[in-house]
Amino acid sequence: MHCSFLSWSRLGAVLLLATANCLAQSPPGQRLYSANCAPCHGPTGAGGKAPDLTAPRYRHAPNDQALFGIIRFGIPNSGMPLTRHLTDQDIHAVIAYLRTLQETSPPPARGNALAGRQLYRTKGNCSQCHTLQGTGGATGPDLTDIGARRSPAYLRESLVNPEAAVPENFMVYRLFSLIPDNFLQVRAVTKDGRRITGTRVNEDPFSIQIRDSSDRLHSFWKDDLAELHKDRGKSPMPSYRVLLSEEELDDLVAYLVSQRGGL
Amino acid sequence: MIRTILFAWVGAAVALAQIDPEYVAPKQNPHTSPADLKRGEQLFLGHCAGCHGPKGEGARGPYLARPKLRRAPDDAALFELIRDGIPGTEMPAGWAMIMKEVWQVTGYVRSLGRTAEEKVPGDAARGAGLYRTKGNCSQCHTVRGQGGGTFGPDLTEIGTRRSASYLRAALLEPEKTVPEGFVQVHIVTKEGKTITGVRLNEDTFTVQVRDLNGVHSFEKRDLKDFHKDPGKSPMPGYRTIFTAPELDDLVAYLASLRGAS
Amino acid sequence: MKRMVLLIGWAATAVGQVSYDRIRRADSEPGNWLTYSGNYSSHRFSKLDQIDTTNVKRLKPAWVYQIQAREKTQSTPLVADGVMYLSEPAGEVTALDTRTGRTLWNYRRTMPKGTRGCCSQVNRGVALLDDTVYVGTFDAHLVALDAKSGVVRWDTTVADHNLGHSITVAPLAVKDKIVVGIAGGEYGVRGFVDAYHAKTGQRAWRFWTVPVAGEKGVETWAGESWKHGAATTWVTGAFDPDQNLVFWGTGNPGPDWNGEVRKGDNLYSDCLLALDADTGKMKWYFQFTPHDVHDWDSTEVPVLVDGVVRGEKRKLVLFANRNTFYYVLDRQSGQFLAGKQFAKQTWAKGLDDAGRPIRLPNTSPTVEGTKVYPSVPGGTNWFSPSYSPVANLFYVAARDEGGIYHMGEAEYKPGAQFNAGGFRSIPGEEPAGAIRALRPFTGELAWEFKLFSPPWAGVMSTAGGLVFGGTNEGDFLALDAATGKILWRFQTGSQVKANPISYLSGGKQQVAIASSNALFVFELE
């Protein structure tokens, strides 16, 4: 589901109206958070599609001023949009609320992170496609701070059913439209018969750039392609449902949750 | 991205505007001894006179030899203005001076203002009439959006930017006070066309000129002759056109032009 | 033909790795631009001749990339195997597909509060080594990025930005290390040249450009003035693999415009240093402007050429200095061989037999201001010169501008500017500049192409017989390398303040230049 600005501002309006009575007594920051932020960051800030805000430090916001800037202007090339409809006062209220969320301690993770680390390297073979703390391949998303950006539940689902949650990023944030960054799987056939399957790096009306499974970059004029298929909802990432036991999945998730950045 | 830009501006402002980021400006000038004043004069001559005139009488920059400065109601404000410049204008930050030196210049500028307020005899209302009629100034100049002239400088704020004595001199001998950005150029094209006008823009290969007929753009390689006459002005001198009282009136009118409305 | 080339499609080579060996032999693959100055000798010369004097008038923009930062860029890109790596203000990086101009990845970085610099948050370029891109940042870090995805491999703090340190220089990949310099000469720092292990980001060596008490050279600083001696190192140097020497220029002594507080020659400010690439130990130095009081940083690009001078075959380094003199030095000993003025100057009678300037009186800064040519930006500056082995000429973008220099009080405060004075332009003057071609071993002028204003863009020469350069008014132009005649130009719309490069994309020669907030790529129509 796209966290598009329009759809969740409508959603936000509905939520506001529906829960106006209940929340009328709660602090304005919390109300604003529930209306605007919860759909991606989770009802209690624990994350989901978007980072866990209960983390003690925010990667992009070392202080209140920076956090204000992020809420006001968003983060380019990410799912975090800007908020034209919030006043300065609103944003300060949200920040105050976020600071209270940061004081809560994180839920205990099931599973053993150390065992998970082993699995990452061995059975999981994750480095083939993912980078973590500087090493690994670049076909899939970087996982260096994945624990701060996605909730444990989300990570588990990604492992078991990767195609349910292919990272998507076609945000309204096209103000600085640079790279789609959404790991869309594409299949191209050139007019002289070459076949390339990979993730889309960038696209425009006339050309497309693709990274294949050997991490090789290709650039094509669309005029030179006989076929171009976009396999939405498909992922080159295999499912680990069968390969890993429930316990192993817990361990791997615990390891990923512990990855909170700080290179 | 915008964060980066925001921080870049903050960083640049700190770097450019404040030489010492931890300096807290006192309300009153702490450097007002005779030695400070003397040093202030030296620094003024070096850093400020080029635009404001050696006695603060105004030139490219406004005249400062008056008791009230519009943007600097007190010493602390004047200090900050010299230290930080005025964004969006040609007044740069005083980055080359340490705090003490900025105070010394502040003191000296204030001392310039202790001269008696300039006497401006003449009737501004009569002067406004002369501007329109005998002077025909609108042919080349604009005031508050009125006037045909983009040929010469806009005069809407001229009363704050130049002293009355400067304005008088400009009317009598325009070629001694050609403002920057109004270089007169003389062009003869290879086809024999001749243009004398004010240079709008120039680069290694082209030049754009404005005269009373409008804007002309040339490739330099199509010109037979192209030279700049820096001490020349298309503005006529008014010594023989106005009587002395009329000149007083016109100067009074111009000195009264202090901005829109 | 074009259709055929396109139909074949195009993919990055299997390896896609820029090994040290490839950079060493950069001359043998002119289809790429693997290091800042084109090769380790800093020739900024392209062997490509698809574009030449007969067809350059058909040069047209192929694509334009726009940088989103507010700051104008001074960056020179690198190209390896169809991918262009462009650094952007403050130390961000973008990878572009050279065929379409489309972005492949971005590296974005938030600057902390409190970064300082004299000028603006520029970044002049990246280095490539193996499968990694290296960039310095305005908050004085050195960062290693995966070349395929932009992911951070390591991030090392080089110096404290709160004290005025920053990195604007394009690093230089040398063997298995990344050599980088530091900026902050207006903040009373002490300069250095660093080398970091490319794989880990650990520092391998540091050479301090200002000696401390007890070290040789400190006697050239009165009292304790060495503590804030500056002599920063903010332009990319050269490397000679045979001698295993890195050649790097150093900047002005601090404080810039008040020499009274630092009497002495002030070593090693305004020098060319020859440093051992493995240890950083200095083999020799040559000082261009002893006891500089004009801020004439000798941070220009050293150009390595071999030739016959004074009857002997020698290894030389050619150096067009900010102080308006062009120098020919022996790069094995640092011996001065020849020197000649190449831009307007009023401060020196000439150079003596050892290459030391013979100063004229009354040219130092004063409180009221002293008029001197050249102005603070000098006869030339950080932007690149070029040497063409085909034309056998040294090309430099020269500035004939004077300035008024002020001396002020020297007061050091950490993090604050420590200049003791300033400068401004001479009222009523419209200074000009020129692209000048000099005979490489004597500095004699072969030809010049006059420019309307003193340039801030570097030059590149090509085997197609062309010299490319840029102007403040936005022109990107091509001259005949032998005669200086203007053959082509394009109005980019804003100041060109960067260096050109050339390479192949899909078999077609492209010429790229950054212009304020855009990167233009040209090819034949």
Side-chain angles (χ1 to χ4, degrees):
Chain A
M1 161 187 135
H2 282 299
C3 253
S4 85
F5 175 69
L6 286 172
S7 75
W8 51 257
S9 75
R10 250 183 283 136
L11 177 61
V14 166
L15 273 174
L16 260 177
L17 287 169
T19 59
N21 280 334
C22 297
L23 295 178
Q25 307 308 318
S26 54
Q30 186 175 3
R31 267 182 280 133
L32 288 163
Y33 175 89
S34 298
N36 294 285
C37 323
C40 290
H41 286 281
T44 54
K49 244 184 109 93
D52 172 9
L53 297 176
T54 65
R57 274 195 320 276
Y58 295 153
R59 181 165 68 122
H60 288 283
N63 53 39
D64 275 7
Q65 190 184 10
L67 185 52
F68 185 96
I70 286 176
I71 299 175
R72 167 65 73 222
F73 297 110
I75 300 174
N77 275 355
S78 75
M80 175 67 184
L82 42 71
T83 52
R84 261 187 274 260
H85 64 295
L86 293 181
T87 65
D88 284 8
Q89 211 175 2
D90 287 341
I91 296 183
H92 285 304
V94 170
I95 291 177
Y97 178 65
L98 290 176
R99 296 303 185 203
T100 66
L101 291 182
Q102 282 183 302
E103 282 159 25
T104 62
S105 47
R110 295 199 311 256
N112 180 317
L114 221 53
R117 186 164 174 258
Q118 270 303 98
L119 287 164
Y120 184 97
R121 289 162 182 211
T122 56
K123 239 169 156 176
N125 194 23
C126 313
S127 294
Q128 185 182 14
C129 298
H130 293 278
T131 18
L132 187 61
Q133 289 182 24
T135 46
T139 322
D142 175 34
L143 300 176
T144 300
D145 54 1
I146 198 70
R149 292 195 291 122
R150 297 288 186 270
S151 67
Y154 184 99
L155 292 170
R156 201 166 210 288
E157 183 165 33
S158 295
L159 285 165
V160 157
N161 187 6
E163 297 192 331
V166 178
E168 280 194 16
N169 227 320
F170 251 133
M171 290 305 294
V172 286
Y173 213 89
R174 285 257 172 182
L175 277 181
F176 295 109
S177 168
L178 294 169
I179 313 173
D181 190 30
N182 56 15
F183 300 96
L184 177 67
Q185 182 171 294
V186 296
R187 282 171 297 123
V189 182
T190 66
K191 281 183 176 158
D192 54 349
R194 289 197 308 135
R195 292 176 175 276
I196 289 99
T197 301
T199 43
R200 175 182 62 181
V201 173
N202 210 346
E203 184 180 1
D204 62 78
F206 306 100
S207 79
I208 185 165
Q209 289 76 41
I210 300 171
R211 190 198 307 282
D212 69 21
S213 51
S214 321
D215 259 358
R216 224 183 313 195
L217 284 164
H218 304 262
S219 176
F220 298 106
W221 294 114
K222 285 181 176 174
D223 276 355
D224 298 331
L225 296 179
E227 292 169 38
L228 176 63
H229 304 277
K230 292 177 196 176
D231 300 330
R232 287 194 195 286
K234 288 249 161 285
S235 173
M237 172 164 161
S239 163
Y240 288 86
R241 186 198 303 276
V242 170
L243 198 61
L244 299 175
S245 68
E246 288 297 312
E247 205 182 277
E248 285 174 325
L249 279 169
D250 285 344
D251 289 344
L252 186 49
V253 168
Y255 174 60
L256 294 171
V257 165
S258 73
Q259 297 308 305
R260 285 167 170 257
L263 197 63
Chain B
M1 186 68 54
I2 292 232
R3 277 184 346 281
T4 313
I5 295 167
L6 276 177
F7 288 133
W9 273 115
V10 168
V14 170
L16 290 172
Q18 293 187 32
I19 298 161
D20 178 353
E22 284 157 20
Y23 184 84
V24 176
K27 289 268 179 288
Q28 283 176 317
N29 190 341
H31 300 281
T32 52
S33 73
D36 286 322
L37 206 60
K38 184 91 185 43
R39 184 72 167 188
E41 182 183 8
Q42 272 184 317
L43 290 163
F44 184 89
L45 285 171
H47 292 276
C48 322
C51 288
H52 290 282
K55 294 192 192 62
E57 71 273 22
R60 183 174 169 185
Y63 80 100
L64 302 174
R66 46 193 165 130
K68 282 214 186 69
L69 293 171
R70 188 165 56 115
R71 294 192 207 241
D74 58 29
D75 278 4
L78 182 54
F79 167 85
E80 275 167 26
L81 189 152
I82 296 171
R83 180 192 66 189
D84 300 344
I86 304 173
T89 72
E90 285 177 50
M91 171 68 181
W95 62 270
M97 294 184 280
I98 57 174
M99 297 299 120
K100 182 164 120 187
E101 290 170 331
V102 177
W103 279 119
Q104 288 166 336
V105 174
T106 301
Y108 180 69
V109 170
R110 281 289 180 226
S111 78
L112 288 177
R114 272 179 227 121
T115 57
E117 179 81 55
E118 220 179 9
K119 287 203 180 35
V120 186
D123 183 312
R126 279 206 303 265
L130 288 164
Y131 179 97
R132 279 194 307 274
T133 56
K134 229 170 166 180
N136 195 20
C137 311
S138 295
Q139 187 182 24
C140 298
H141 293 278
T142 35
V143 174
R144 293 184 196 134
Q146 302 292 317
T150 39
F151 199 22
D154 174 56
L155 300 176
T156 304
E157 289 188 342
I158 200 68
T160 68
R161 298 187 49 77
R162 299 287 187 271
S163 64
S165 45
Y166 182 100
L167 292 169
R168 183 181 294 271
L171 285 164
L172 293 176
E173 285 174 307
E175 299 198 324
K176 290 214 161 58
T177 55
V178 180
E180 276 216 22
F182 286 88
V183 176
Q184 181 171 296
V185 298
H186 183 81
I187 283 173
V188 181
T189 68
K190 284 188 172 148
E191 292 160 4
K193 195 160 133 188
T194 301
I195 310 247
T196 300
V198 164
R199 179 184 65 178
L200 291 176
N201 213 343
E202 183 182 356
D203 59 71
T204 302
F205 306 100
T206 75
V207 61
Q208 291 75 38
V209 174
R210 188 201 298 281
D211 66 6
L212 285 166
N213 295 324
V215 174
H216 310 270
S217 178
F218 299 106
E219 292 269 331
K220 285 181 177 175
R221 63 176 173 223
D222 295 335
L223 302 180
K224 194 161 82 176
D225 180 33
F226 165 52
H227 63 263
K228 295 166 228 193
D229 295 321
K232 294 243 162 286
S233 172
M235 173 164 160
Y238 284 87
R239 191 187 294 279
T240 54
I241 298 180
F242 289 125
T243 64
E246 284 174 333
L247 204 59
D248 284 346
D249 289 343
L250 184 53
V251 169
Y253 169 63
L254 293 172
S256 76
L257 294 175
R258 283 160 184 261
S261 93
Chain C
M1 181 60 204
K2 180 180 174 189
R3 200 91 191 119
M4 272 280 284
V5 168
L6 293 175
L7 273 174
I8 288 165
W10 168 91
T13 64
V15 178
Q17 283 214 343
V18 180
S19 63
Y20 162 61
D21 205 53
R22 278 181 78 183
I23 306 177
R24 252 186 82 136
R25 295 180 300 109
D27 286 347
S28 65
E29 48 171 313
N32 290 307
W33 195 277
L34 302 176
T35 185
Y36 180 73
S37 298
N39 61 16
Y40 276 136
S41 299
S42 305
H43 289 182
R44 195 166 292 280
F45 171 78
S46 173
K47 274 174 131 170
L48 298 174
D49 59 4
Q50 261 183 41
I51 302 170
D52 62 24
T53 54
T54 65
N55 61 24
V56 68
K57 57 182 175 289
R58 285 176 18 225
L59 211 54
K60 288 267 180 329
W63 50 265
V64 177
Y65 166 70
Q66 297 194 23
I67 293 166
Q68 304 296 329
R70 213 172 213 158
E71 309 269 357
K72 292 183 183 180
T73 186
Q74 294 179 10
S75 183
T76 304
L78 298 186
V79 171
D81 311 320
V83 179
M84 176 183 285
Y85 301 92
L86 179 72
S87 72
E88 300 178 6
E92 304 195 330
V93 183
T94 295
L96 301 162
D97 168 37
T98 58
R99 170 194 287 214
T100 59
R102 299 292 288 155
T103 303
L104 298 171
W105 55 257
N106 301 117
Y107 165 68
R108 295 288 174 241
R109 185 183 180 88
T110 310
M111 278 300 120
K113 244 161 78 165
T115 54
R116 300 138 218 257
C118 72
C119 308
S120 62
Q121 294 194 354
V122 292
N123 189 289
R124 299 204 173 86
V126 302
L128 289 173
L129 186 61
D130 297 329
D131 55 1
T132 310
V133 178
Y134 299 89
V135 68
T137 70
F138 201 72
D139 57 331
H141 283 229
L142 183 62
V143 181
L145 307 168
D146 173 62
K148 291 197 282 268
S149 64
V151 154
V152 176
R153 294 289 188 206
W154 52 254
D155 178 327
T156 292
T157 305
V158 171
D160 183 359
H161 65 265
N162 291 302
L163 293 176
H165 294 100
S166 60
I167 299 181
T168 55
V169 63
L172 188 69
V174 172
K175 295 162 73 167
D176 61 344
K177 300 185 187 57
I178 307 300
V179 179
V180 73
I182 195 73
E186 275 62 59
Y187 288 86
V189 304
R190 269 179 71 225
F192 53 81
V193 181
D194 274 1
Y196 291 83
H197 289 292
K199 289 268 177 272
T200 62
Q202 300 280 73
R203 193 160 82 212
W205 53 255
R206 170 171 288 183
F207 177 81
W208 291 98
T209 57
V210 179
V212 295
E215 284 180 348
K216 181 162 168 251
V218 78
E219 70 282 359
T220 64
W221 296 86
E224 296 197 320
S225 57
W226 53 266
K227 284 190 172 164
H228 303 296
T232 52
T233 48
W234 51 276
V235 170
T236 314
F239 172 58
D240 184 340
D242 296 330
Q243 296 177 272
N244 201 34
L245 288 178
V246 168
F247 300 91
W248 212 274
T250 66
N252 63 283
D256 303 42
W257 294 293
N258 186 336
E260 304 302 305
V261 304
R262 52 167 169 85
K263 293 205 188 341
D265 275 1
N266 306 142
L267 292 176
Y268 299 97
S269 68
D270 285 355
C271 285
L272 178 65
L273 307 172
L275 307 175
D276 181 282
D278 296 327
T279 64
K281 296 258 179 296
M282 182 170 72
K283 174 137 187 260
W284 58 256
Y285 73 91
F286 176 83
Q287 190 175 41
F288 299 99
T289 310
H291 191 69
D292 175 16
V293 291
H294 297 96
D295 188 23
W296 290 334
D297 296 55
S298 292
T299 48
E300 287 78 55
V301 175
V303 176
L304 312 183
V305 167
D306 295 349
V308 176
V309 175
R310 294 191 189 173
E312 269 181 56
K313 201 157 183 294
R314 294 174 196 259
K315 292 182 182 298
L316 306 165
V317 51
L318 312 176
F319 204 104
N321 195 282
R322 192 137 145 196
N323 69 10
T324 73
F325 286 90
Y326 170 81
Y327 295 78
V328 181
L329 309 175
D330 181 308
R331 70 174 187 268
Q332 290 181 297
S333 60
Q335 186 197 359
F336 170 79
L337 297 171
K340 195 160 170 36
Q341 176 184 337
F342 68 90
K344 183 168 176 184
Q345 64 93 4
T346 58
W347 70 283
K349 199 163 150 212
L351 305 173
D352 69 17
D353 290 339
R356 198 183 167 92
I358 305 163
R359 279 187 154 88
L360 291 167
N362 302 322
T363 54
S364 294
T366 55
V367 177
E368 296 87 0
T370 311
K371 184 164 124 174
V372 178
Y373 289 77
S375 173
V376 164
T380 191
N381 207 297
W382 62 269
F383 39 87
S384 296
S386 170
Y387 171 72
S388 167
V390 169
N392 196 32
L393 286 171
F394 179 97
Y395 303 97
V396 60
R399 307 170 51 88
D400 293 322
E401 177 181 19
I404 297 179
Y405 291 81
H406 296 283
M407 179 166 80
E409 277 195 42
E411 185 189 73
Y412 177 75
K413 284 209 180 109
Q417 290 210 352
F418 182 56
N419 306 334
F423 67 99
R424 59 190 173 86
S425 45
I426 299 170
E429 276 197 14
E430 270 191 10
I435 293 175
R436 296 196 168 118
L438 311 177
R439 304 247 173 257
F441 307 138
T442 61
E444 217 186 291
L445 183 70
W447 55 253
E448 74 170 6
F449 177 78
K450 287 198 163 63
L451 299 172
F452 173 68
S453 62
W456 280 100
V459 292
M460 170 184 71
S461 53
T462 75
L466 301 164
V467 172
F468 286 89
T471 74
N472 298 322
E473 297 76 33
D475 307 283
F476 183 54
L477 49 83
L479 308 173
D480 183 307
T483 64
K485 183 162 157 234
I486 176 81
L487 295 177
W488 169 88
R489 68 181 211 255
F490 182 83
Q491 174 54 254
T492 65
S494 190
Q495 181 185 33
V496 178
K497 196 167 176 168
N499 302 312
I501 66 166
S502 189
Y503 53 89
L504 291 173
S505 176
K508 242 185 135 157
Q509 184 179 5
Q510 292 185 334
V511 178
I513 183 73
S515 158
S516 288
N517 294 82
L519 182 92
F520 279 82
V521 171
F522 297 91
E523 60 184 30
L524 290 175
E525 201 172 17

